[in-house]
Amino acid sequence: MTTGDTPRRGRGRPRTPGAEDRILTAALEEYGEHGWAGFTMDAVAHRAGVGKSTIYLRWPDKDSLLVRAVAARTVTFAGIDTGSLHGDLIELTVRLLRYLHSPGGWAAIRVTFDGASSPERMGDFAADLTWAHSQYVAEICQRAMARGEMVDDLPTGVVSETIYGAAVVNALSERLEGRQDDEEAIRLRAAQIVGTIVDGLRVPQDR
Amino acid sequence: MTTGDTPRRGRGRPRTPGAEDRILTAALEEYGEHGWAGFTMDAVAHRAGVGKSTIYLRWPDKDSLLVRAVAARTVTFAGIDTGSLHGDLIELTVRLLRYLHSPGGWAAIRVTFDGASSPERMGDFAADLTWAHSQYVAEICQRAMARGEMVDDLPTGVVSETIYGAAVVNALSERLEGRQDDEEAIRLRAAQIVGTIVDGLRVPQDR
Amino acid sequence: MTTGDTPRRGRGRPRTPGAEDRILTAALEEYGEHGWAGFTMDAVAHRAGVGKSTIYLRWPDKDSLLVRAVAARTVTFAGIDTGSLHGDLIELTVRLLRYLHSPGGWAAIRVTFDGASSPERMGDFAADLTWAHSQYVAEICQRAMARGEMVDDLPTGVVSETIYGAAVVNALSERLEGRQDDEEAIRLRAAQIVGTIVDGLRVPQDR
Amino acid sequence: MTTGDTPRRGRGRPRTPGAEDRILTAALEEYGEHGWAGFTMDAVAHRAGVGKSTIYLRWPDKDSLLVRAVAARTVTFAGIDTGSLHGDLIELTVRLLRYLHSPGGWAAIRVTFDGASSPERMGDFAADLTWAHSQYVAEICQRAMARGEMVDDLPTGVVSETIYGAAVVNALSERLEGRQDDEEAIRLRAAQIVGTIVDGLRVPQDR
DNA sequence: CTATAATCGAGACGGTACGTCACGTCTTGAT
DNA sequence: ATCAAGACGTGACGTACCGTCTCGATTATAG
């Protein structure tokens, strides 16, 4: 996920090992503190204790730096398997909400939407990220279908859209209302969202 | 929601009638084509065939212009009442998807997320918009609860988050995948989303 | 000699009248104080109380600015006519030495030599300046020839080369030795130079 | 005048024999082609087929390299003695013109004037060079005075300024006018310059 | 024959200035 | 009073070069 891949083939002074990380961290911090406006390459360089040239040696421009900074801090939600559809989705949603409520997660959201507007500049990060998210849900659903727990006449994409979407909008409204949701609030919201999706809104008629 | 408030009668040359509209249109077009970076006041002025002063006489800065341009194209989803929860939500979701897949709707999404990141500059619009969306769902849910059609131990905010979120992410993935959903695709997706929310994912056990 | 020629045809805000002068003055001062290294566009802009764009609106780059700054302060030596060859040349040489010993004159020398090395960048200033200098001498010589005061089998170019060259090298050695020639020293040197050229070095044999 | 001073025997890999020369040559060529601006250490290193460290092991900075490059190609005009003032000066002037019309001589002129502008960085070379030139003339003049051939109430500095200056300005105008003086043109000009200085401009009154 | 050490080509590094571009302000003459 | 045009001060952009540094490779002397 880093720029990496450089096999370091010898000739010339090698790139300073720590620099990559320090720059990405500085970038995320600056972005978090000042937003896109006020997100300055000079400030990032200064905060990372690095010259601008060192940054531009690694990333071609401001957009790319931010995208990579976000990508480098992307978390994975793979490997969830509690044994039940409800349990799996709860676990996934809790982790998702936790992430999206963090500065890095919010930055990922913004970069994703920016990326969808100008794919030539922000590259494939957005597509990769949303595809990864849809996969987590797909795996959970496939297991649930195999267990006969879940209807099988529904593309899993709808489920991932619904869960991912609910989490994104929840993070959005947290920011707009100036809330700071704690772990308890997150767990409650996850339960409500998953409950709606698994059990539906209809009043149970006979049970 | 218009520029308004300043009736601007009195002495002197009156403001050129068409200008307001041409500027807002030009702004949306530029934003749609080039994204936030590459969205230039000079370009907007040029495309609208207008001097920069004419713009700055009406809006204080770039953010405000963009917010107003988006707001001027905002649509309302009020007044839906088909008689059933399922019917209401389908109608709402169809309209929502149609809007968010349009250039103006996509711009509204982006402005909303930008606004949440820098509320001091353009936060009010985002808050107003999301609040309005949550109200449409709230009204529908309250009527459904009164009819006994829907569980009443769930805050309506969860429902609006889920529907609005699913629609937003659907618009996002349409762009990322380069799709161009037609009316049929939209109706199908709306049915799937609302089905999931109203009926849930569980296999009906006895019916 | 200024950038000028702009007939100021109306449309748009006119260029700030004083700016041109303030920038040229600031440029010469910065150049005089810090030399070519340490001659910074930002510093010139700051000293002139002007933005960099205002400078780049008028001159395409650093070289051009310096050339024009020097050119704008170029002095003329036209109109010398004391009635005798000796008197004319003394007057010319005194003025020339005075000028070349001043900061502006020294800057003119440097720009001239730079210009001869890269004519595509420094343009025609160097050629114009040396041509003008040769003309002053040519006029003086032609009058002297007409009066029968001077040999007429010699191109006047040699005379101007000799006088201009002596003055340039005199200014050079003043700087290298850290001298600060006063008016008296200048007049003495002028007399010696012109004496050498008019009367020659040979011992007068019979007079 | 070479890099010298450090005999550099002892252990370790000895300095590559040809490097010194290749670097100085490359430096003069780059300087000649692009002038001071556009005279780049990287370009010199590349043209000499050498790493930058190899250059910086020998000279502390750009100024020093250039000064040394010029100094290494400096020619001497010592040992002229034809028996007459006129003959000596002709010989000196011819050699001087030949040198100053060559790339190395022109570079020496430029370095001299640059050095006079920032003596702390490269002043010594300029002072040494001009002092050497004045000595050649001084010797010639002293012999001429001893022979009673030349007036003795004139400091020899004036003569050297005049001759050196005329040669410098002649080289300048050759470049400005795009001429390429051949040996014949040089001899003619030398004769004219020396004639002016030895015999003066006055019409011989009785002969 | 091995250890030590200076030099080499390559090129990344922190810094500083370049020339460009956009923002939001301003100043003009015209409407 | 508003308009189109466009110059203004400010400040970030991405590039280029300086002089330093770090690397692995090379080439000598010293033990």
Side-chain angles (χ1 to χ4, degrees):
Chain A
M1 271 293 184
T2 67
T3 315
D5 309 334
T6 21
R8 192 86 332 266
R9 54 213 157 294
R11 303 288 246 207
R13 174 176 176 172
R15 296 191 167 177
T16 305
E20 204 112 355
D21 249 27
R22 294 208 314 277
I23 295 168
L24 292 176
T25 304
L28 269 191
E29 287 171 354
E30 285 288 326
Y31 186 67
E33 292 175 15
H34 305 114
W36 172 264
F39 172 63
T40 295
M41 293 303 261
D42 294 76
V44 172
H46 187 75
R47 188 193 277 247
V50 135
K52 271 204 294 178
S53 54
T54 302
I55 300 183
Y56 281 103
L57 226 42
R58 290 167 162 75
W59 301 276
D61 51 28
K62 212 159 81 148
D63 301 322
S64 310
L65 169 61
L66 186 55
V67 168
R68 292 337 294 179
V70 169
R73 264 69 181 177
T74 289
V75 303
T76 178
F77 304 120
I80 295 176
D81 188 357
T82 65
S84 78
L85 172 64
H86 194 272
D88 283 0
L89 290 183
I90 288 278
E91 178 64 19
L92 176 65
T93 308
V94 166
R95 290 201 206 166
L96 196 51
L97 282 173
R98 246 189 243 131
Y99 172 59
L100 296 185
H101 284 217
S102 76
W106 178 251
I109 292 178
R110 299 210 48 198
V111 168
T112 303
F113 283 92
D114 282 348
S117 294
S118 32
E120 73 292 350
R121 281 172 37 244
M122 313 292 262
D124 307 315
F125 167 72
D128 291 352
L129 188 63
T130 46
W131 184 85
H133 279 303
S134 71
Q135 284 313 102
Y136 304 136
V137 176
E139 287 169 19
I140 290 172
C141 288
Q142 269 143 21
R143 281 200 310 274
M145 289 178 188
R147 282 191 301 257
E149 239 187 320
M150 177 179 157
V151 296
D152 54 4
D153 57 348
L154 196 67
T156 61
V158 178
V159 184
S160 83
E161 264 176 36
T162 315
I163 290 191
Y164 187 38
V168 165
V169 173
N170 186 255
L172 171 66
S173 69
E174 186 202 26
R175 300 211 152 234
L176 286 175
E177 296 168 11
R179 283 186 281 124
Q180 283 280 38
D181 290 356
D182 56 8
E183 181 67 16
E184 192 182 359
I186 285 177
R187 293 200 160 275
L188 174 59
R189 199 50 150 197
Q192 293 172 330
I193 292 171
V194 173
T196 301
I197 291 173
V198 172
D199 296 321
L201 299 174
R202 262 193 237 283
V203 177
Q205 296 188 291
D206 41 23
R207 197 167 322 176
Chain B
M1 272 292 185
T2 68
T3 315
D5 309 335
T6 19
R8 193 66 40 213
R9 49 194 174 286
R11 293 205 279 185
R13 171 174 175 174
R15 294 191 168 176
T16 305
E20 212 109 332
D21 244 31
R22 292 209 314 277
I23 295 169
L24 291 176
T25 302
L28 267 191
E29 288 171 352
E30 285 288 326
Y31 185 66
E33 292 175 13
H34 307 300
W36 172 263
F39 172 62
T40 297
M41 292 303 259
D42 294 74
V44 172
H46 186 76
R47 190 194 275 248
V50 136
K52 275 203 292 178
S53 51
T54 304
I55 299 182
Y56 281 101
L57 273 173
R58 288 165 164 77
W59 301 276
D61 51 27
K62 206 162 83 152
D63 301 322
S64 310
L65 169 61
L66 184 55
V67 168
R68 286 300 122 201
V70 170
R73 264 73 180 176
T74 288
V75 303
T76 179
F77 304 121
I80 295 176
D81 188 358
T82 65
S84 78
L85 171 63
H86 194 274
D88 284 0
L89 289 183
I90 288 278
E91 177 65 19
L92 176 65
T93 308
V94 166
R95 291 202 206 165
L96 196 52
L97 282 172
R98 243 189 246 133
Y99 172 58
L100 295 186
H101 285 217
S102 76
W106 178 250
I109 292 178
R110 300 206 54 196
V111 167
T112 303
F113 283 90
D114 282 348
S117 295
S118 32
E120 72 291 350
R121 283 168 42 241
M122 38 202 280
D124 286 348
F125 167 74
D128 291 355
L129 190 61
T130 46
W131 184 84
H133 280 302
S134 71
Q135 282 314 102
Y136 303 138
V137 176
E139 286 169 18
I140 290 171
C141 287
Q142 269 145 22
R143 282 201 309 273
M145 289 177 190
R147 285 191 299 258
E149 236 186 322
M150 174 179 157
V151 296
D152 56 3
D153 57 349
L154 196 68
T156 60
V158 177
V159 184
S160 82
E161 264 176 36
T162 314
I163 290 190
Y164 187 37
V168 165
V169 172
N170 186 254
L172 171 67
S173 67
E174 185 202 25
R175 299 209 154 234
L176 286 175
E177 296 169 11
R179 284 187 281 123
Q180 282 280 38
D181 290 356
D182 57 6
E183 180 67 18
E184 191 181 1
I186 286 176
R187 293 202 158 272
L188 172 59
R189 200 52 152 193
Q192 292 172 329
I193 292 171
V194 172
T196 301
I197 290 173
V198 172
D199 297 320
L201 300 173
R202 263 194 235 283
V203 178
Q205 297 192 289
D206 41 25
R207 200 170 314 177
Chain C
M1 273 292 186
T2 67
T3 314
D5 311 333
T6 21
R8 193 86 332 268
R9 55 213 158 294
R11 302 287 247 209
R13 174 176 176 172
R15 297 192 167 176
T16 306
E20 204 111 358
D21 248 27
R22 293 208 314 278
I23 295 169
L24 292 175
T25 303
L28 269 191
E29 287 171 354
E30 284 288 326
Y31 185 69
E33 291 175 16
H34 307 301
W36 172 263
F39 172 64
T40 295
M41 294 303 260
D42 294 75
V44 171
H46 186 75
R47 187 193 276 247
V50 136
K52 270 204 294 180
S53 54
T54 303
I55 299 184
Y56 282 101
L57 227 42
R58 290 167 162 76
W59 300 277
D61 52 27
K62 212 160 81 147
D63 301 323
S64 309
L65 169 60
L66 185 55
V67 168
R68 293 337 293 181
V70 169
R73 263 68 182 179
T74 289
V75 302
T76 179
F77 304 120
I80 294 176
D81 189 358
T82 65
S84 76
L85 172 64
H86 193 272
D88 283 0
L89 289 183
I90 287 278
E91 178 63 20
L92 176 66
T93 307
V94 165
R95 290 201 205 168
L96 196 52
L97 282 173
R98 245 190 243 133
Y99 173 58
L100 295 185
H101 284 217
S102 76
W106 178 251
I109 291 177
R110 297 210 49 198
V111 167
T112 303
F113 282 91
D114 281 349
S117 294
S118 32
E120 73 292 351
R121 282 172 37 244
M122 312 292 263
D124 307 316
F125 167 73
D128 291 351
L129 188 62
T130 45
W131 184 83
H133 279 303
S134 71
Q135 283 313 101
Y136 303 138
V137 175
E139 286 168 18
I140 290 172
C141 287
Q142 269 142 22
R143 282 201 309 275
M145 289 177 189
R147 282 191 301 257
E149 240 186 317
M150 176 180 157
V151 296
D152 54 4
D153 56 348
L154 197 67
T156 60
V158 178
V159 183
S160 83
E161 264 177 34
T162 314
I163 289 190
Y164 187 37
V168 165
V169 173
N170 186 254
L172 171 67
S173 68
E174 185 202 25
R175 299 212 153 232
L176 286 175
E177 297 168 11
R179 283 187 280 126
Q180 282 279 38
D181 291 356
D182 58 7
E183 180 68 16
E184 192 182 359
I186 285 177
R187 293 201 160 273
L188 173 60
R189 200 50 151 196
Q192 292 172 330
I193 292 171
V194 173
T196 299
I197 290 173
V198 171
D199 295 321
L201 299 173
R202 261 194 236 284
V203 178
Q205 297 190 290
D206 41 22
R207 199 165 321 169
Chain D
M1 271 294 184
T2 68
T3 315
D5 308 336
T6 19
R8 192 68 41 215
R9 48 194 175 289
R11 293 209 279 187
R13 171 175 176 172
R15 294 190 167 177
T16 305
E20 211 110 331
D21 243 32
R22 293 208 314 277
I23 296 169
L24 291 176
T25 303
L28 267 192
E29 287 170 354
E30 285 288 324
Y31 185 67
E33 292 174 14
H34 308 299
W36 173 261
F39 172 62
T40 296
M41 291 304 258
D42 294 74
V44 172
H46 186 75
R47 188 194 278 248
V50 136
K52 275 204 292 176
S53 50
T54 304
I55 299 182
Y56 280 101
L57 273 174
R58 290 166 164 75
W59 300 276
D61 52 27
K62 207 161 82 149
D63 303 321
S64 309
L65 169 60
L66 184 55
V67 167
R68 286 300 121 199
V70 169
R73 264 71 180 177
T74 289
V75 303
T76 179
F77 304 120
I80 295 176
D81 187 358
T82 65
S84 77
L85 172 64
H86 193 272
D88 284 1
L89 290 183
I90 288 279
E91 177 64 19
L92 176 65
T93 307
V94 165
R95 290 201 206 166
L96 195 53
L97 282 173
R98 247 188 242 132
Y99 173 57
L100 296 185
H101 285 217
S102 77
W106 179 249
I109 292 177
R110 299 206 54 194
V111 168
T112 304
F113 282 91
D114 282 348
S117 294
S118 32
E120 72 290 352
R121 283 169 41 240
M122 38 202 279
D124 286 347
F125 167 73
D128 291 353
L129 189 62
T130 46
W131 185 83
H133 280 303
S134 71
Q135 282 314 101
Y136 304 138
V137 175
E139 285 168 20
I140 290 172
C141 287
Q142 269 144 21
R143 282 201 309 273
M145 288 176 189
R147 283 192 300 258
E149 238 187 320
M150 176 181 156
V151 297
D152 55 4
D153 57 348
L154 196 67
T156 60
V158 177
V159 183
S160 82
E161 265 177 36
T162 314
I163 290 189
Y164 188 37
V168 165
V169 172
N170 186 254
L172 170 68
S173 69
E174 185 202 25
R175 299 209 154 234
L176 287 174
E177 296 169 11
R179 282 187 281 124
Q180 283 280 38
D181 291 355
D182 57 7
E183 180 68 17
E184 190 182 2
I186 285 177
R187 294 202 158 273
L188 173 60
R189 201 49 152 194
Q192 291 172 331
I193 293 170
V194 173
T196 301
I197 290 173
V198 171
D199 296 321
L201 301 172
R202 261 194 235 285
V203 176
Q205 296 188 290
D206 41 25
R207 199 170 315 176

